[in-house]
Amino acid sequence: MTDLAKQQHQIMGDLVLESAEIIQNYDNAKGYNVSDNTAEALAWAGLQSSTAWTLLDEIVKQNYKNIIDDESSGFEILAIGSPCN
């Protein structure tokens, strides 16, 4: 991994964690009781083509992808909330 890729991964990781905290605080205020893992997965939504995403562990990526897919489709059994209209 190049120094630039490491720097991008660190910057994206910091932004994702900050976004996850915002998501979790907002959702919990709305009564959804969102876990750290779910909030972090949702913070990665839309970033799956980034270099930082490709550097994540494959198991973590699959877990996050499943959460993102469940939440965006409103899959009733696993989704915490409802998809936006």
Side-chain angles (χ1 to χ4, degrees), residues 15-36:
L15 290 172
V16 165
L17 290 177
E18 187 174 327
S19 296
E21 185 177 337
I22 292 167
I23 290 167
Q24 189 173 34
N25 290 339
Y26 178 81
D27 287 354
N28 288 344
K30 296 291 185 181
Y32 287 116
N33 194 25
V34 174
S35 70
D36 293 344

Side-chain angles (χ1 to χ4, degrees), residues 32-75:
Y32 287 116
N33 194 25
V34 174
S35 70
D36 293 344
N37 187 58
T38 298
E40 190 167 333
L42 295 175
W44 279 103
L47 298 173
Q48 289 96 341
S49 62
S50 71
T51 300
W53 173 266
T54 63
L55 297 174
L56 290 174
D57 179 79
E58 290 301 318
I59 293 170
V60 171
K61 282 194 291 192
Q62 188 59 52
N63 179 43
Y64 287 176
K65 184 180 177 324
N66 290 343
I67 292 169
I68 292 166
D69 290 348
D70 291 342
E71 291 298 326
S72 63
S73 69
F75 184 60

